Amino acid sequence: MAEQICPNCGCTIVDEGHEKEGVLYCCEPCATGGQCECGCCKIVEEEK
């Protein structure tokens, strides 16, 4: 099976993912417009 990518955050969908309106997302927050639970979208601030 081909690797599936979440259209919201771009991370790889593992297991079953979360489907909404026929589109497969990696987690429920991505499907509902929230913060991704996978930890791939955390904001990292650089120290000066």
Side-chain angles (χ1 to χ4, degrees), residues 4-8 12-33 37-38:
Q4 295 184 343
I5 305 296
C6 178
N8 188 47
T12 303
I13 299 171
V14 294
D15 299 323
E16 294 180 11
H18 186 84
E19 188 174 346
K20 180 180 179 186
E21 298 176 2
V23 179
L24 193 62
Y25 297 88
C26 63
C27 59
E28 186 176 357
C30 276
T32 58
E37 290 180 341
C38 299

